[in-house]
Every structure is written in structure tokens, then in C-alpha cells.
Amino acid sequence: MQEIKRRYVIPGDKIIEGNYKPLMNVVKSGNYLVSTRVGIAEAGKDGVKVIPLSGVYIPRVNDLVIGKIIDRSSLSWDVDINACFFAHLPAQDVFGRDFSPAKDDMGRQLSIGDLIIARIVSFDRTRDPMLTVQDKDLGKIPYGEFIKISPTRVPRLIGKRGSMIQTIEQATQTRVIIGQNGIVVVTGRDPDGLSLAAKAIKMVEEESHTTNLTQRVKTLLNVQDPVDPEQPESMNASPGTESSTESSTQPQPQPQPNNESSTQPQPNNESSTQPQPQPQPQPNNESSTPNNSKSGSSSKEKHRNDSSEKSSNNDSNIDQKEKKQE
């Protein structure tokens, strides 16, 4: 897809030529895509759209809206949702199927002037929008500061993936409820945080078409950008590397004498190792073995002499006996 630079357009301006899908506030005329609103034209993967810079809110099904109770009948409440149509909230949606106008007091649940957050469940050209408060986190808003902005500024206030609104909430310690119809309710305990959040929201509304808006909002809120861990290393590389190298080189010669000192006992170790290969005990052991053999042989010779002496004594005794017999 051909890239389209973001540019301002008015109704009737030709945005691009070719087979592109028209998305929001864009129609196809011949081989061109033409804008139908005053806004900023841009192209995405899905097609071409125009982000409007002004205009009223047009209700759409499943939109979350914030409205004010302006009137009631016997069966429903009339709600102002900042559009050219008034919305209706059925009493049966609040009380349940067992609702009875004779028994149930509608004023106890919602009275005129109350703010509610609701979802649009149905709308067409033949009837006014119908609301519901049955979903989670829907219903009456008990308190908060009411701010009205242009519905076309809501996407810029939310930001990409909710980045802008999260920045405002975290910096001011508040909760910001945004309706697609341009109604914003800010709740919080700190009055200074409420006023600061209101200023930031007004800045987004007035300067949503300008660049570097996020940075200006952070400056207003005194929010500092997180420092990348790589930047201080690169920034400290020029002065820090010298000191680091110096500090790294300084201890390097220090261990050398330690190594030398550690090598000094090496001769002791050598002296201690001298008896390890000692050939001396080996000959001693060897010498012990021949000594043992000599001692063994001498003992054998003594045994032989003893045995010979015994045999000679025996012979002499035999001779003496023979002489006596004669």
C-alpha cells in the first residue's frame, strides 16, 4: 500500500488514487478516495480514514457513553448523551423484570441531574438510542468533576494503547472515565490532582492536532521520561572508561606482588615436595627387603646349625648307649 503522509483535508478533497478500502469519513468516487469531514487523513493496513477535527457525536452500537438524567417517564429515563438524539434507559433494566410503576419509586435509583455511564445497545434512524447499565462497571457515577470535550478529541485523549490517559492518571493520582460521546468525569481525593488533570485534558483538546503533545503534557504534569539503561553507559563511556580502565589497571599490578608472594612459598613447596619423589625411602624399603632376606637367611642357618647340633647330640647319645650295652 502506498504510504500517505498525514495531512489536513476538508470535505471533497481527494486523498489518494487507487484500489484502497475506505474506512472512516472517506468515500470512493471513481478511482479516488474523497474525504467527507474536516480532519487529518492517514492510511493504515486496513485502509484509509480521516480523523475528524470537529463535529458532533453520532451514536453507534456498543459505544460507552456518559450521560446526564434530564427527565423520566413512568417506564424509562431520558438521558442527554451529547448528541442530536436523546437516549432512553428503561426502568426494567435497573429494577429487573419485576418492575412495577405503582410499587417501585424510580427517583430512589436515579434522579434528574445524575450522571451515568452506559452502553448503547440499539440505534437506528427510526428510533432513539437505547441504553443499558447491566454490564460490569456501568451505572450511576456517585461523584466527580464533569468535563466536556469535543467527541473527535477522544481518541487523542486516550492515546495509543491508553498511553496518554494512563500518564494523566498516574501523575495526578486520579481516575478518568471517558465516554465516546466526549463527556469525561475525573474522580479523586486530592483537589490539586483534580485541577491538574482537568488542565491536562483541556490541553489535549486544544492541541490535539499538534506534534509533541505527549511531551508537553508530561512537562505540565512534571513527569520525567524513564532513562534507558544503555544511555548512561554510553554517556559515561568517555569519562567513565578512563576511570574504569585506570581503576582496573591499578589493581592489576597489586595482585602481581601477591602472586609473587604467593610464589615465594613455592620453593618451600618445592622443599616440601622434595620428599615426595624421595628415592631415599624407596632404597630404604628396598634395603629393608634384603635385610629382611638376610635376617631370614641367618635364621635359617641358625635353624640348620641347631638341627645339626641336635642330630650330633643324638648320635653321641646313641653311641654312648651302644657302649653301655657292650
Side-chain angles (χ1 to χ4, degrees):
M1 178 181 287
Q2 181 182 353
E3 294 184 358
I4 301 176
K5 294 183 179 180
R6 297 185 63 179
R7 60 188 181 91
Y8 295 99
V9 293
I10 61 174
D13 282 352
K14 294 179 180 179
I15 301 174
I16 194 172
E17 181 182 6
N19 188 16
Y20 296 96
K21 182 180 179 181
L23 295 178
M24 183 174 62
N25 303 318
V26 177
V27 295
K28 195 164 187 179
S29 176
N31 199 30
Y32 288 92
L33 293 180
V34 180
S35 171
T36 61
R37 297 284 296 274
V38 177
I40 301 174
E42 65 177 17
K45 296 181 180 180
D46 299 332
V48 181
K49 64 181 179 179
V50 173
I51 301 174
L53 295 178
S54 62
V56 297
Y57 171 68
I58 299 175
R60 292 178 299 180
V61 177
N62 291 328
D63 274 359
L64 284 176
V65 296
I66 296 176
K68 180 186 288 186
I69 304 296
I70 57 174
D71 199 0
R72 72 182 182 188
S73 64
S74 59
L75 298 176
S76 65
W77 289 274
D78 296 334
V79 186
D80 181 8
I81 58 171
N82 194 31
C84 54
F85 307 95
F86 288 118
H88 300 285
L89 177 63
Q92 197 173 25
D93 190 82
V94 177
F95 290 95
R97 296 181 179 179
D98 298 334
F99 169 71
S100 173
K103 296 180 181 180
D104 298 323
D105 186 6
M106 296 176 60
R108 291 183 180 179
Q109 295 293 332
L110 296 171
S111 58
I112 296 174
D114 288 344
L115 294 177
I116 63 169
I117 179 170
R119 185 183 299 276
I120 298 176
V121 292
S122 64
F123 170 71
D124 54 32
R125 300 294 180 180
T126 61
R127 60 179 181 178
D128 293 338
M130 298 295 293
L131 304 178
T132 181
V133 292
Q134 292 294 324
D135 295 340
K136 184 180 179 180
D137 297 332
L138 302 183
K140 181 179 178 180
I141 301 175
Y143 61 92
E145 185 173 351
F146 180 86
I147 302 173
K148 187 176 180 180
I149 65 174
S150 175
T152 59
R153 305 295 198 271
V154 170
R156 192 69 182 92
L157 178 60
I158 296 174
K160 292 182 179 179
R161 298 179 182 178
S163 59
M164 180 68 77
I165 196 61
Q166 288 178 3
T167 301
I168 296 174
E169 288 181 340
Q170 292 175 1
T172 59
Q173 299 296 318
T174 58
R175 184 191 176 196
V176 182
I177 304 173
I178 304 173
Q180 296 291 333
N181 56 338
I183 306 300
V184 181
V185 177
V186 184
T187 60
R189 297 181 179 179
D190 187 8
D192 294 335
L194 292 173
S195 61
L196 189 60
K199 288 181 181 179
I201 292 170
K202 288 296 184 183
M203 176 183 285
V204 173
E205 182 189 15
E206 295 172 359
E207 303 178 11
S208 61
H209 59 284
T210 61
T211 58
N212 296 327
L213 177 60
T214 303
Q215 190 61 38
R216 292 197 298 275
V217 171
K218 289 182 178 180
T219 303
L220 175 65
L221 300 175
N222 295 324
V223 176
Q224 296 181 356
D225 293 330
V227 179
D228 294 336
E230 298 178 355
Q231 288 183 356
E233 294 179 0
S234 60
M235 292 174 66
N236 294 327
S238 57
T241 49
E242 296 178 357
S243 62
S244 62
T245 52
E246 291 176 0
S247 62
S248 62
T249 54
Q250 288 177 358
Q252 286 179 356
Q254 292 178 359
Q256 291 178 357
N258 293 327
N259 292 327
E260 292 176 356
S261 62
S262 62
T263 55
Q264 289 178 0
Q266 287 180 357
N268 295 327
N269 292 328
E270 290 177 356
S271 61
S272 62
T273 55
Q274 287 177 359
Q276 292 178 356
Q278 283 178 359
Q280 296 176 359
Q282 292 177 357
N284 290 330
N285 293 328
E286 292 176 356
S287 61
S288 63
T289 53
N291 290 327
N292 292 328
S293 61
K294 290 179 181 180
S295 63
S297 59
S298 61
S299 61
K300 288 179 180 180
E301 290 176 356
K302 289 180 180 180
H303 182 68
R304 288 177 183 176
N305 293 327
D306 294 335
S307 59
S308 60
E309 289 177 357
K310 288 180 181 179
S311 59
S312 61
N313 292 326
N314 292 326
D315 293 335
S316 62
N317 292 326
I318 293 168
D319 293 333
Q320 290 177 0
K321 287 179 181 180
E322 289 177 353
K323 286 179 181 181
K324 286 181 182 181
Q325 289 176 357
E326 292 176 354

